[in-house]
Amino acid sequence: MVFHVYRDASGTERGLVVALNNQSEGAAWSNITNSLAGASSSWDGLANSNAIVAQLGHTNSAAKLCLDYVSGAFSDWYLPSKHELNLLWFNLFLVNKSMVGITGSTELLSANSIGYYWSPSEFSLYSACPLFSFSHNNSSFSSKDYNNKVRAIRAYSVPSNSGSVTDIDGNTYQTVTIGTQVWMKENIKVSKYRNGDAIPTGLSNTAWQNITSGACAIYDNNPVNDSIYGKLYNWYAVADPRGLCPAGWHVPSDGEWKTLESNLGMTSSELDNTGSRGGAQNIGGKLKSTSSLWQSPNTGATNTVGFSAIPAAYRNIDGPFYGLGVDAVWWSSSLNGTNKAWSRLLTKGDGS
């Protein structure tokens, strides 16, 4: 549930979202209770959360519960800072009133309740960790091993139609608004997860086939292809909770792909089908760029909505690269069974 919205100097809408349920009714701040984590910010809950879990010897914490949380296809949740909790309290009446009408949600503490929520904003070596009481809008301090409630939040951004977004490597991507959604107009090429951890790359065919964790590749291992087409990622990288996309962005779910297709005219009956679909409405053509990167014939290509799809191809499960100039393939974040995930394909010879 969105509880705070503002626009930055560039006109980008930004905001904060609170989870519909507590991640714990009673969890310790951290299993490490005798050293500073460096979680010193009163406003940057994400930075504080990452600092807590990065401590040597860390195994469990309120911050980890939030960073590990996945809901609504989003995995960029974190433990809110002291000031972020203050913003949540200022909107407590409307948040609780709305949650009453959402099946399965749990209200934040009501006005006559007593209880505290952890923030990750550290105060001292052993104890003094800021807590927040929704009953009195006050802060106090408690030992790090004391059990308190945990509620995750996440940040989002909605760039304008001609906006851009920058990843952790400093790559900047142009964006486009299509219907109710904002999409990148370019494939990502980031080499690190959102927390700064490197994504393994340069794997041999055998290593690519056997790896069971996140990895990426450059088509034919040619750096020129990286700059033009972006990187190719396995699904383990897509599903990794550290996040491939910049803060506030995420790999779309199958449902979000369907929203895009619906916005472009695909019928509800087609949305329930698998395989080739949308040809009658030239859905693929509306998404494909008219660039010469596509081999001829680039059937139906109009790029009507500015999605600017290019044929970046794919790396097969057993390692070889296929389809440069012919196919464009994207992951969704949604599983299909236990060992597959939904994806989307455009090809040079078809407008679906």
Side-chain angles (χ1 to χ4, degrees):
M1 178 177 296
V2 178
F3 67 90
H4 179 68
V5 177
Y6 68 100
R7 289 191 182 275
D8 64 18
S10 69
T12 297
E13 179 184 303
R14 299 185 184 276
L16 297 173
V17 182
V18 62
L20 294 179
N21 300 100
N22 290 338
Q23 279 58 68
S24 176
E25 296 298 325
W29 191 82
S30 175
N31 67 293
I32 301 172
T33 60
N34 60 355
S35 65
L36 288 173
S40 58
S41 176
S42 62
W43 60 269
D44 192 340
L46 178 58
N48 286 347
S49 296
N50 285 328
I52 293 167
V53 302
Q55 283 186 286
L56 185 64
H58 172 274
T59 58
N60 59 278
S61 63
K64 187 175 188 300
L65 288 173
C66 296
L67 292 173
D68 289 347
Y69 181 59
V70 178
S71 179
F74 297 102
S75 59
D76 53 349
W77 301 88
Y78 60 89
L79 189 64
S81 70
K82 178 180 177 180
H83 286 176
E84 287 169 323
L85 281 172
N86 269 295
L87 288 172
L88 184 53
W89 186 86
F90 293 149
N91 293 283
L92 182 62
F93 171 76
L94 292 176
V95 169
N96 275 351
K97 183 179 179 181
S98 298
M99 282 189 176
V100 169
I102 300 176
T103 302
S105 67
T106 305
E107 289 181 74
L108 294 161
L109 290 172
S110 58
N112 60 355
S113 298
I114 297 175
Y116 292 89
Y117 281 85
W118 278 120
S119 96
S121 304
E122 195 170 29
F123 180 74
S124 72
L125 189 66
Y126 297 102
S127 56
C129 308
L131 302 173
F132 192 83
S133 169
F134 283 113
S135 57
H136 304 297
N137 187 25
N138 67 345
S139 296
S140 61
F141 303 104
S142 175
S143 298
K144 293 179 178 178
D145 59 359
Y146 195 80
N147 289 332
N148 290 293
K149 297 177 184 292
V150 179
R151 180 76 69 120
I153 68 168
R154 59 178 296 271
Y156 76 86
S157 63
V158 181
S160 65
N161 190 50
S162 58
S164 63
V165 60
T166 302
D167 66 25
I168 194 170
D169 285 337
N171 301 305
T172 297
Y173 310 95
Q174 300 303 306
T175 64
V176 60
T177 300
I178 304 174
T180 58
Q181 300 173 311
V182 181
W183 292 79
M184 289 184 184
K185 297 168 64 174
E186 305 169 64
N187 298 328
I188 63 172
K189 58 187 71 174
V190 69
S191 64
K192 296 188 285 288
Y193 293 108
R194 193 182 299 133
N195 70 347
D197 291 346
I199 304 170
T201 191
L203 276 63
S204 68
N205 287 353
T206 299
W208 182 266
Q209 182 176 5
N210 293 322
I211 194 168
T212 56
S213 58
C216 64
I218 300 169
Y219 195 95
D220 278 346
N221 299 308
N222 185 341
V224 173
N225 289 331
D226 184 30
S227 63
I228 297 174
Y229 298 99
K231 290 183 173 64
L232 304 171
Y233 301 86
N234 66 6
W235 197 81
Y236 296 110
V238 171
D240 196 291
R242 289 171 288 183
L244 274 180
C245 303
W249 290 77
H250 63 276
V251 176
S253 66
D254 182 58
E256 287 169 322
W257 276 110
K258 287 182 176 179
T259 297
L260 173 64
E261 292 161 335
S262 177
N263 286 333
L264 297 181
M266 189 176 291
T267 65
S268 58
S269 60
E270 284 186 294
L271 289 172
D272 293 332
N273 296 331
T274 58
S276 180
R277 62 191 193 182
Q281 303 87 12
N282 196 39
I283 302 297
K286 294 174 183 177
L287 296 171
K288 289 193 292 183
S289 78
T290 57
S291 166
S292 60
L293 293 173
W294 285 96
Q295 293 181 15
S296 180
N298 188 10
T299 302
T302 62
N303 200 28
T304 304
V305 295
F307 189 84
S308 304
I310 57 175
Y314 60 96
R315 189 172 191 182
N316 206 37
I317 189 171
D318 57 351
F321 298 94
Y322 294 104
L324 194 68
V326 176
D327 297 320
V329 190
W330 297 275
W331 284 116
S332 84
S333 60
S334 302
L335 282 169
N336 175 18
T338 58
N339 62 350
K340 294 181 181 180
W342 293 105
S343 61
R344 293 300 187 276
L345 164 70
L346 301 180
T347 188
K348 72 179 181 70
D350 199 335
S352 61

